[in-house]
Amino acid sequence: MDSESVYNLIPPAEVKAPKQALYVSKHSKTPPGAKPKRQAATFGKTNNAANPGTFLKKNGGRGTATTAAAGALPADLSGTRHRTERKPGVPSKDERPVMGLVSSKNYITANAVDNILAVPRRPQDTAPNYLEKPDFGQVPQYLGRVKAQIDEEYKMIQSLQEAPDQTSQQLKMLSEEDRLRMLDGLKANWERINKQYQTLSFSVDTASKKRRKEEYEAMLEQIEKDIKKLQKGFIFVADDSAMGY
């Protein structure tokens, strides 16, 4: 071990390692086929800083104000913006318009001649022409459906009359008075149930509300079917007297 000494308190001198030579590649810095970089293409040219003391001062331009006041454009402003010519100036107070010009044209006669020689306008007929409709002269479709329904009812009546059996003997045709009375009753029931259906809440969040809504809808649908059946011309019902009840 080294013995203690006062000289050990002095830091030793720093010894710097020798710096190695900078590595330079043997290949070219620019890849093959690349264009050479233009000078001052990034930050501009050097030694071209403007002097802050030589700024543009008042009345120190190129004389654009004097030339513009004279009416002529300067040479450096004759670009695309200033290619059009200036508009003529405002007339002075001494320039008066020519007055006292009188036309020899007779406007009353000219207007009368123009109206006499004019071709009369044809009135535009805006009413629809039913003769040009595609279904003109054809039988409406609803008449065909009504006729087919009537023929079917007549055929059913004729078949019942020609071949009477036990089933046909137990049927009878409903009178018009009874049919209208039943039809009015069905319509009244439909109005009553529909009024109750409209009073239901909008949100169906419980099972009871959902079941009640479905019951009303089924009842309304069945009444509508019955009304459609009673609206036919001939309705046959069971004859209780023929069945022995």
Short mmCIF file of all heavy atoms in Angstrom, two decimals, residues 154-197:
data_model
loop_
_atom_site.label_atom_id
_atom_site.label_comp_id
_atom_site.label_asym_id
_atom_site.label_seq_id
_atom_site.Cartn_x
_atom_site.Cartn_y
_atom_site.Cartn_z
N TYR A 154 -124.50 -14.66 -57.96
CA TYR A 154 -125.60 -15.26 -58.72
C TYR A 154 -125.37 -16.74 -58.97
O TYR A 154 -126.30 -17.56 -58.93
CB TYR A 154 -125.78 -14.51 -60.04
CG TYR A 154 -126.64 -13.27 -59.92
CD1 TYR A 154 -126.13 -12.01 -60.21
CD2 TYR A 154 -127.98 -13.37 -59.53
CE1 TYR A 154 -126.91 -10.87 -60.10
CE2 TYR A 154 -128.77 -12.22 -59.42
CZ TYR A 154 -128.22 -10.98 -59.69
OH TYR A 154 -129.00 -9.86 -59.58
N LYS A 155 -124.13 -17.10 -59.25
CA LYS A 155 -123.83 -18.52 -59.48
C LYS A 155 -124.06 -19.33 -58.21
O LYS A 155 -124.55 -20.46 -58.26
CB LYS A 155 -122.39 -18.67 -59.95
CG LYS A 155 -122.15 -18.18 -61.37
CD LYS A 155 -120.68 -18.36 -61.77
CE LYS A 155 -120.45 -17.86 -63.19
NZ LYS A 155 -119.02 -18.00 -63.60
N MET A 156 -123.70 -18.75 -57.06
CA MET A 156 -123.91 -19.47 -55.81
C MET A 156 -125.41 -19.65 -55.54
O MET A 156 -125.86 -20.73 -55.11
CB MET A 156 -123.25 -18.70 -54.66
CG MET A 156 -123.34 -19.40 -53.31
SD MET A 156 -122.54 -18.46 -51.99
CE MET A 156 -123.54 -16.97 -52.01
N ILE A 157 -126.20 -18.60 -55.80
CA ILE A 157 -127.65 -18.72 -55.60
C ILE A 157 -128.25 -19.73 -56.56
O ILE A 157 -129.12 -20.56 -56.20
CB ILE A 157 -128.31 -17.34 -55.76
CG1 ILE A 157 -127.83 -16.39 -54.66
CG2 ILE A 157 -129.82 -17.46 -55.72
CD1 ILE A 157 -128.30 -14.97 -54.87
N GLN A 158 -127.80 -19.70 -57.81
CA GLN A 158 -128.33 -20.63 -58.80
C GLN A 158 -127.98 -22.06 -58.46
O GLN A 158 -128.79 -22.99 -58.63
CB GLN A 158 -127.78 -20.25 -60.18
CG GLN A 158 -128.40 -21.06 -61.32
CD GLN A 158 -127.90 -20.59 -62.68
OE1 GLN A 158 -127.05 -19.71 -62.75
NE2 GLN A 158 -128.41 -21.19 -63.72
N SER A 159 -126.73 -22.28 -57.97
CA SER A 159 -126.33 -23.64 -57.60
C SER A 159 -127.13 -24.14 -56.40
O SER A 159 -127.49 -25.32 -56.32
CB SER A 159 -124.84 -23.67 -57.27
OG SER A 159 -124.55 -22.82 -56.17
N LEU A 160 -127.47 -23.24 -55.48
CA LEU A 160 -128.28 -23.66 -54.35
C LEU A 160 -129.71 -23.98 -54.76
O LEU A 160 -130.35 -24.87 -54.20
CB LEU A 160 -128.27 -22.56 -53.28
CG LEU A 160 -126.94 -22.31 -52.56
CD1 LEU A 160 -127.07 -21.13 -51.61
CD2 LEU A 160 -126.50 -23.56 -51.81
N GLN A 161 -130.22 -23.24 -55.75
CA GLN A 161 -131.59 -23.50 -56.21
C GLN A 161 -131.68 -24.75 -57.06
O GLN A 161 -132.68 -25.47 -57.03
CB GLN A 161 -132.10 -22.29 -56.99
CG GLN A 161 -132.31 -21.05 -56.12
CD GLN A 161 -132.75 -19.86 -56.92
OE1 GLN A 161 -132.80 -19.93 -58.16
NE2 GLN A 161 -133.09 -18.76 -56.25
N GLU A 162 -130.67 -25.01 -57.88
CA GLU A 162 -130.73 -26.17 -58.77
C GLU A 162 -130.49 -27.47 -58.04
O GLU A 162 -131.07 -28.50 -58.37
CB GLU A 162 -129.70 -26.00 -59.89
CG GLU A 162 -130.05 -24.88 -60.86
CD GLU A 162 -129.00 -24.73 -61.94
OE1 GLU A 162 -127.96 -25.42 -61.84
OE2 GLU A 162 -129.20 -23.92 -62.86
N ALA A 163 -129.62 -27.48 -57.09
CA ALA A 163 -129.29 -28.73 -56.39
C ALA A 163 -129.56 -28.54 -54.91
O ALA A 163 -128.64 -28.37 -54.11
CB ALA A 163 -127.83 -29.11 -56.62
N PRO A 164 -130.81 -28.55 -54.52
CA PRO A 164 -131.12 -28.39 -53.09
C PRO A 164 -130.77 -29.65 -52.32
O PRO A 164 -131.06 -30.76 -52.74
CB PRO A 164 -132.62 -28.12 -53.08
CG PRO A 164 -133.12 -28.76 -54.32
CD PRO A 164 -132.02 -28.67 -55.34
N ASP A 165 -130.10 -29.51 -51.25
CA ASP A 165 -129.77 -30.64 -50.38
C ASP A 165 -130.16 -30.29 -48.95
O ASP A 165 -130.79 -29.26 -48.68
CB ASP A 165 -128.29 -31.00 -50.49
CG ASP A 165 -127.42 -29.78 -50.25
OD1 ASP A 165 -127.98 -28.70 -50.02
OD2 ASP A 165 -126.18 -29.90 -50.30
N GLN A 166 -129.72 -31.12 -48.04
CA GLN A 166 -130.07 -30.90 -46.66
C GLN A 166 -129.44 -29.63 -46.10
O GLN A 166 -130.05 -28.91 -45.32
CB GLN A 166 -129.64 -32.12 -45.83
CG GLN A 166 -130.09 -32.05 -44.37
CD GLN A 166 -129.68 -33.29 -43.61
OE1 GLN A 166 -129.06 -34.20 -44.18
NE2 GLN A 166 -130.03 -33.35 -42.33
N THR A 167 -128.21 -29.35 -46.60
CA THR A 167 -127.53 -28.16 -46.10
C THR A 167 -128.19 -26.88 -46.60
O THR A 167 -128.39 -25.93 -45.86
CB THR A 167 -126.06 -28.18 -46.54
OG1 THR A 167 -125.46 -29.39 -46.09
CG2 THR A 167 -125.30 -27.01 -45.95
N SER A 168 -128.58 -26.89 -47.90
CA SER A 168 -129.22 -25.70 -48.46
C SER A 168 -130.61 -25.48 -47.87
O SER A 168 -131.08 -24.35 -47.76
CB SER A 168 -129.30 -25.82 -49.99
OG SER A 168 -130.09 -26.96 -50.34
N GLN A 169 -131.27 -26.56 -47.49
CA GLN A 169 -132.60 -26.40 -46.89
C GLN A 169 -132.51 -25.81 -45.49
O GLN A 169 -133.48 -25.24 -45.00
CB GLN A 169 -133.31 -27.75 -46.84
CG GLN A 169 -133.68 -28.28 -48.22
CD GLN A 169 -134.32 -29.65 -48.15
OE1 GLN A 169 -134.48 -30.21 -47.05
NE2 GLN A 169 -134.68 -30.20 -49.31
N GLN A 170 -131.36 -25.97 -44.85
CA GLN A 170 -131.19 -25.44 -43.50
C GLN A 170 -130.67 -24.01 -43.51
O GLN A 170 -130.40 -23.47 -42.44
CB GLN A 170 -130.22 -26.33 -42.71
CG GLN A 170 -130.76 -27.74 -42.49
CD GLN A 170 -129.74 -28.63 -41.81
OE1 GLN A 170 -128.61 -28.19 -41.57
NE2 GLN A 170 -130.12 -29.86 -41.51
N LEU A 171 -130.50 -23.39 -44.69
CA LEU A 171 -130.02 -22.01 -44.79
C LEU A 171 -131.15 -21.11 -45.26
O LEU A 171 -132.05 -21.54 -45.98
CB LEU A 171 -128.85 -21.91 -45.78
CG LEU A 171 -127.58 -22.69 -45.40
CD1 LEU A 171 -126.54 -22.52 -46.52
CD2 LEU A 171 -127.00 -22.22 -44.07
N LYS A 172 -131.06 -19.87 -44.86
CA LYS A 172 -132.00 -18.87 -45.34
C LYS A 172 -131.24 -17.56 -45.55
O LYS A 172 -130.23 -17.30 -44.92
CB LYS A 172 -133.14 -18.67 -44.34
CG LYS A 172 -132.71 -18.01 -43.04
CD LYS A 172 -133.92 -17.71 -42.15
CE LYS A 172 -133.50 -17.00 -40.87
NZ LYS A 172 -134.66 -16.65 -40.01
N MET A 173 -131.77 -16.77 -46.47
CA MET A 173 -131.11 -15.50 -46.78
C MET A 173 -131.51 -14.45 -45.76
O MET A 173 -132.69 -14.30 -45.42
CB MET A 173 -131.47 -15.04 -48.20
CG MET A 173 -130.65 -13.84 -48.66
SD MET A 173 -130.88 -13.46 -50.40
CE MET A 173 -132.61 -13.03 -50.41
N LEU A 174 -130.53 -13.72 -45.27
CA LEU A 174 -130.78 -12.69 -44.26
C LEU A 174 -131.48 -11.50 -44.91
O LEU A 174 -131.12 -11.06 -46.01
CB LEU A 174 -129.44 -12.23 -43.64
CG LEU A 174 -129.53 -11.31 -42.42
CD1 LEU A 174 -130.16 -12.06 -41.24
CD2 LEU A 174 -128.13 -10.82 -42.04
N SER A 175 -132.50 -11.01 -44.25
CA SER A 175 -133.24 -9.88 -44.79
C SER A 175 -132.38 -8.62 -44.76
O SER A 175 -131.41 -8.50 -44.00
CB SER A 175 -134.54 -9.66 -44.00
OG SER A 175 -134.23 -9.33 -42.65
N GLU A 176 -132.77 -7.66 -45.60
CA GLU A 176 -132.01 -6.41 -45.70
C GLU A 176 -132.07 -5.61 -44.40
O GLU A 176 -131.10 -4.98 -43.98
CB GLU A 176 -132.55 -5.57 -46.86
CG GLU A 176 -131.75 -4.32 -47.14
CD GLU A 176 -130.38 -4.62 -47.71
OE1 GLU A 176 -130.14 -5.77 -48.14
OE2 GLU A 176 -129.53 -3.70 -47.70
N GLU A 177 -133.22 -5.66 -43.73
CA GLU A 177 -133.37 -4.93 -42.48
C GLU A 177 -132.45 -5.49 -41.40
O GLU A 177 -131.77 -4.76 -40.69
CB GLU A 177 -134.83 -4.98 -42.02
CG GLU A 177 -135.09 -4.20 -40.74
CD GLU A 177 -136.56 -4.30 -40.32
OE1 GLU A 177 -137.35 -4.90 -41.08
OE2 GLU A 177 -136.90 -3.77 -39.25
N ASP A 178 -132.40 -6.83 -41.32
CA ASP A 178 -131.52 -7.46 -40.32
C ASP A 178 -130.04 -7.21 -40.66
O ASP A 178 -129.22 -7.02 -39.77
CB ASP A 178 -131.80 -8.95 -40.25
CG ASP A 178 -133.20 -9.25 -39.73
OD1 ASP A 178 -133.77 -8.35 -39.08
OD2 ASP A 178 -133.71 -10.35 -39.99
N ARG A 179 -129.72 -7.23 -41.93
CA ARG A 179 -128.32 -7.01 -42.33
C ARG A 179 -127.86 -5.60 -41.96
O ARG A 179 -126.77 -5.42 -41.42
CB ARG A 179 -128.18 -7.24 -43.84
CG ARG A 179 -126.74 -7.19 -44.34
CD ARG A 179 -126.68 -7.38 -45.84
NE ARG A 179 -127.24 -6.22 -46.53
CZ ARG A 179 -126.52 -5.12 -46.83
NH1 ARG A 179 -125.24 -5.05 -46.51
NH2 ARG A 179 -127.09 -4.11 -47.46
N LEU A 180 -128.71 -4.61 -42.23
CA LEU A 180 -128.34 -3.23 -41.90
C LEU A 180 -128.26 -3.03 -40.38
O LEU A 180 -127.39 -2.30 -39.89
CB LEU A 180 -129.35 -2.26 -42.51
CG LEU A 180 -129.38 -2.19 -44.05
CD1 LEU A 180 -130.46 -1.25 -44.51
CD2 LEU A 180 -128.02 -1.77 -44.59
N ARG A 181 -129.17 -3.70 -39.63
CA ARG A 181 -129.14 -3.56 -38.18
C ARG A 181 -127.86 -4.18 -37.61
O ARG A 181 -127.22 -3.60 -36.72
CB ARG A 181 -130.38 -4.20 -37.57
CG ARG A 181 -130.49 -3.97 -36.05
CD ARG A 181 -131.81 -4.46 -35.48
NE ARG A 181 -131.96 -5.90 -35.61
CZ ARG A 181 -132.73 -6.52 -36.51
NH1 ARG A 181 -133.48 -5.79 -37.35
NH2 ARG A 181 -132.81 -7.83 -36.57
N MET A 182 -127.47 -5.34 -38.12
CA MET A 182 -126.23 -5.97 -37.65
C MET A 182 -125.00 -5.15 -38.06
O MET A 182 -124.03 -5.03 -37.30
CB MET A 182 -126.13 -7.38 -38.22
CG MET A 182 -127.18 -8.34 -37.68
SD MET A 182 -127.09 -9.97 -38.45
CE MET A 182 -125.48 -10.48 -37.93
N LEU A 183 -125.09 -4.54 -39.24
CA LEU A 183 -123.96 -3.73 -39.71
C LEU A 183 -123.77 -2.49 -38.83
O LEU A 183 -122.64 -2.13 -38.46
CB LEU A 183 -124.18 -3.33 -41.17
CG LEU A 183 -123.01 -2.68 -41.90
CD1 LEU A 183 -121.83 -3.64 -41.95
CD2 LEU A 183 -123.41 -2.29 -43.32
N ASP A 184 -124.90 -1.87 -38.45
CA ASP A 184 -124.81 -0.71 -37.56
C ASP A 184 -124.28 -1.10 -36.18
O ASP A 184 -123.49 -0.36 -35.57
CB ASP A 184 -126.18 -0.04 -37.43
CG ASP A 184 -126.65 0.57 -38.75
OD1 ASP A 184 -125.78 0.84 -39.61
OD2 ASP A 184 -127.88 0.77 -38.91
N GLY A 185 -124.70 -2.28 -35.70
CA GLY A 185 -124.20 -2.73 -34.40
C GLY A 185 -122.70 -3.01 -34.42
O GLY A 185 -121.98 -2.68 -33.47
N LEU A 186 -122.22 -3.60 -35.52
CA LEU A 186 -120.78 -3.86 -35.62
C LEU A 186 -119.98 -2.56 -35.69
O LEU A 186 -118.90 -2.45 -35.09
CB LEU A 186 -120.50 -4.73 -36.86
CG LEU A 186 -120.92 -6.19 -36.77
CD1 LEU A 186 -120.71 -6.88 -38.10
CD2 LEU A 186 -120.14 -6.91 -35.68
N LYS A 187 -120.51 -1.59 -36.40
CA LYS A 187 -119.80 -0.31 -36.49
C LYS A 187 -119.77 0.39 -35.13
O LYS A 187 -118.76 1.01 -34.75
CB LYS A 187 -120.47 0.59 -37.52
CG LYS A 187 -120.27 0.10 -38.96
CD LYS A 187 -120.93 1.04 -39.95
CE LYS A 187 -120.71 0.56 -41.39
NZ LYS A 187 -121.36 1.46 -42.38
N ALA A 188 -120.87 0.29 -34.38
CA ALA A 188 -120.90 0.89 -33.04
C ALA A 188 -119.90 0.20 -32.11
O ALA A 188 -119.19 0.86 -31.32
CB ALA A 188 -122.31 0.82 -32.45
N ASN A 189 -119.83 -1.15 -32.20
CA ASN A 189 -118.84 -1.87 -31.39
C ASN A 189 -117.42 -1.50 -31.77
O ASN A 189 -116.54 -1.38 -30.92
CB ASN A 189 -119.04 -3.38 -31.56
CG ASN A 189 -120.31 -3.85 -30.90
OD1 ASN A 189 -120.84 -3.19 -30.00
ND2 ASN A 189 -120.83 -4.98 -31.34
N TRP A 190 -117.19 -1.31 -33.07
CA TRP A 190 -115.84 -0.92 -33.51
C TRP A 190 -115.46 0.45 -32.97
O TRP A 190 -114.32 0.67 -32.53
CB TRP A 190 -115.80 -0.92 -35.04
CG TRP A 190 -114.42 -0.75 -35.59
CD1 TRP A 190 -113.54 -1.72 -35.91
CD2 TRP A 190 -113.77 0.51 -35.87
NE1 TRP A 190 -112.37 -1.19 -36.37
CE2 TRP A 190 -112.47 0.19 -36.36
CE3 TRP A 190 -114.13 1.83 -35.76
CZ2 TRP A 190 -111.56 1.17 -36.75
CZ3 TRP A 190 -113.22 2.81 -36.13
CH2 TRP A 190 -111.96 2.49 -36.62
N GLU A 191 -116.42 1.40 -32.97
CA GLU A 191 -116.14 2.72 -32.42
C GLU A 191 -115.85 2.66 -30.93
O GLU A 191 -114.94 3.33 -30.42
CB GLU A 191 -117.33 3.65 -32.68
CG GLU A 191 -117.56 4.00 -34.16
CD GLU A 191 -116.48 4.91 -34.69
OE1 GLU A 191 -115.76 5.54 -33.89
OE2 GLU A 191 -116.34 4.99 -35.93
N ARG A 192 -116.60 1.83 -30.20
CA ARG A 192 -116.41 1.74 -28.75
C ARG A 192 -115.06 1.12 -28.42
O ARG A 192 -114.31 1.64 -27.57
CB ARG A 192 -117.55 0.90 -28.15
CG ARG A 192 -117.43 0.68 -26.65
CD ARG A 192 -118.64 -0.10 -26.14
NE ARG A 192 -118.83 -1.35 -26.88
CZ ARG A 192 -118.13 -2.47 -26.61
NH1 ARG A 192 -117.25 -2.49 -25.63
NH2 ARG A 192 -118.37 -3.56 -27.30
N ILE A 193 -114.70 0.04 -29.12
CA ILE A 193 -113.42 -0.63 -28.83
C ILE A 193 -112.25 0.24 -29.29
O ILE A 193 -111.21 0.31 -28.64
CB ILE A 193 -113.41 -2.01 -29.51
CG1 ILE A 193 -114.50 -2.91 -28.91
CG2 ILE A 193 -112.04 -2.67 -29.34
CD1 ILE A 193 -114.64 -4.25 -29.60
N ASN A 194 -112.43 0.92 -30.41
CA ASN A 194 -111.35 1.79 -30.88
C ASN A 194 -111.10 2.96 -29.92
O ASN A 194 -109.97 3.39 -29.72
CB ASN A 194 -111.70 2.32 -32.27
CG ASN A 194 -110.57 3.14 -32.87
OD1 ASN A 194 -109.43 2.70 -32.90
ND2 ASN A 194 -110.89 4.32 -33.35
N LYS A 195 -112.18 3.47 -29.30
CA LYS A 195 -112.02 4.55 -28.31
C LYS A 195 -111.24 4.05 -27.10
O LYS A 195 -110.37 4.75 -26.56
CB LYS A 195 -113.40 5.06 -27.90
CG LYS A 195 -113.36 6.25 -26.96
CD LYS A 195 -114.74 6.75 -26.66
CE LYS A 195 -114.69 7.97 -25.73
NZ LYS A 195 -116.06 8.47 -25.42
N GLN A 196 -111.52 2.83 -26.65
CA GLN A 196 -110.76 2.26 -25.54
C GLN A 196 -109.31 1.97 -25.95
O GLN A 196 -108.39 2.12 -25.14
CB GLN A 196 -111.43 0.97 -25.06
CG GLN A 196 -112.83 1.17 -24.50
CD GLN A 196 -113.48 -0.14 -24.12
OE1 GLN A 196 -112.88 -1.20 -24.26
NE2 GLN A 196 -114.73 -0.06 -23.63
N TYR A 197 -109.13 1.59 -27.21
CA TYR A 197 -107.77 1.31 -27.69
C TYR A 197 -106.92 2.58 -27.76
O TYR A 197 -105.71 2.55 -27.50
CB TYR A 197 -107.87 0.65 -29.07
CG TYR A 197 -106.53 0.33 -29.70
CD1 TYR A 197 -105.76 -0.74 -29.26
CD2 TYR A 197 -106.05 1.12 -30.74
CE1 TYR A 197 -104.55 -1.02 -29.85
CE2 TYR A 197 -104.82 0.84 -31.33
CZ TYR A 197 -104.07 -0.23 -30.88
OH TYR A 197 -102.86 -0.50 -31.45
#
